[in-house]
């Protein structure tokens, strides 16, 4: 009976990443990719198939290939990444009416990514002056940028996303039309 050796895929992934980032010709893009991976709340720990590291590699590749992109393009790539959808729970997120008509049960869309997008990827928690200091109301309290109504409205957008079973070359996608 043959036994396959146990492979430490996490160590393998880190080794390949270190080799690429240290020897790649596009050092600026590698460094920008690393910086973007620290700004955006992404993780490679949600991949259910531990033998398939392609989804995890796509997370970092999104950032490296976005080194000269606009912030809007980076947010778009992050948002449409399957790993991000699983991590921030908008993958397979259902709209209110879907559950209502399908199960006679009133359920609301998951608000996690809507909140994350407003808080971390766009406008932040509080209103700020151009110099970064908080804007205060007449009582000296910080003014929030959004409230629960805004989060609920934004959560409606992040519904209906399901994983794609198409297996194509990820780098060949035309991001200008997606």
């Amino acid at each position: 009976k043959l036994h396959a050796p146990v492979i430490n895929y996490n160590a393998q992934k880190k080794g390949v990443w270190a080799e690429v980032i240290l020897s790649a010709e596009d050092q600026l893009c590698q460094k920008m990719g690393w910086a973007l991976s620290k700004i955006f709340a992404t993780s490679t720990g949600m991949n259910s198939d531990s033998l398939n590291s392609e989804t995890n590699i796509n997370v970092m590749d999104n950032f490296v290939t976005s080194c000269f992109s606009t912030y809007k393009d980076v947010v778009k790539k992050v948002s449409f990444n399957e790993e991000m959808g699983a991590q921030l729970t908008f993958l397979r997120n259902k709209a209110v009416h879907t559950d209502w008509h399908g199960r006679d049960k009133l359920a609301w869309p998951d608000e996690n990514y809507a909140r994350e997008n407003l808080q971390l990827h766009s406008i932040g928690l509080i209103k700020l002056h151009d110099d970064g200091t908080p804007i205060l109301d007449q009582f000296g309290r910080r003014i929030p940028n959004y409230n629960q109504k805004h989060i609920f409205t934004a959560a409606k957008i992040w519904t209906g996303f399901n994983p794609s079973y198409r297996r194509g070359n990820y780098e060949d996608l035309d991001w200008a039309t997606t």
Side-chain angles (χ1 to χ4, degrees):
K1 188 174 187 181
L2 295 173
H3 294 283
V6 176
I7 299 172
N8 184 341
Y9 288 98
N10 196 32
Q12 185 181 52
K13 181 175 60 177
K14 287 178 182 176
V16 169
W17 176 81
E19 178 68 29
V20 168
I21 199 166
L22 293 173
S23 63
E25 291 183 25
D26 59 345
Q27 285 294 300
L28 177 62
C29 287
Q30 296 296 326
K31 290 174 183 174
M32 282 295 296
W34 176 253
L36 288 170
S37 75
K38 298 304 171 192
I39 293 169
F40 286 88
T42 59
S43 169
T44 57
M46 295 296 292
N47 191 352
S48 60
D49 183 2
S50 62
L51 299 179
N52 176 11
S53 61
E54 186 168 341
T55 306
N56 293 334
I57 292 167
N58 284 343
V59 172
M60 191 62 184
D61 281 351
N62 272 341
F63 296 128
V64 172
T65 59
S66 298
C67 68
F68 297 116
S69 296
T70 64
Y71 189 73
K72 178 183 175 182
D73 290 339
V74 176
V75 170
K76 188 176 184 179
K77 283 184 180 183
V78 168
S79 297
F80 290 129
N81 185 282
E82 184 178 348
E83 192 79 13
M84 183 65 130
Q87 177 186 347
L88 294 173
T89 65
F90 69 85
L91 191 64
R92 295 186 183 90
N93 195 7
K94 303 285 187 209
V96 174
H97 71 86
T98 301
D99 275 346
W100 178 256
H101 294 297
R103 297 187 229 161
D104 270 349
K105 176 181 163 190
L106 189 58
W108 307 103
D110 187 298
E111 299 171 355
N112 189 30
Y113 190 59
R115 187 174 283 108
E116 186 92 10
N117 208 11
L118 289 168
Q119 181 179 341
L120 298 176
H121 300 161
S122 60
I123 60 176
L125 288 172
I126 59 171
K127 292 185 179 187
L128 301 173
H129 290 285
D130 289 338
D131 65 0
T133 58
I135 297 174
L136 305 176
D137 65 11
Q138 71 255 20
F139 303 108
R141 294 179 298 210
R142 295 175 177 189
I143 301 173
N145 265 328
Y146 56 88
N147 58 33
Q148 183 58 38
K149 179 182 172 186
H150 297 114
I151 295 168
F152 180 69
T153 301
K156 293 176 184 179
I157 297 168
W158 299 104
T159 60
F161 288 89
N162 293 312
S164 172
Y165 298 104
R166 176 188 161 276
R167 175 64 179 100
N169 190 345
Y170 190 76
E171 287 79 18
D172 288 342
L173 289 177
D174 182 4
W175 286 101
T177 61
T178 45

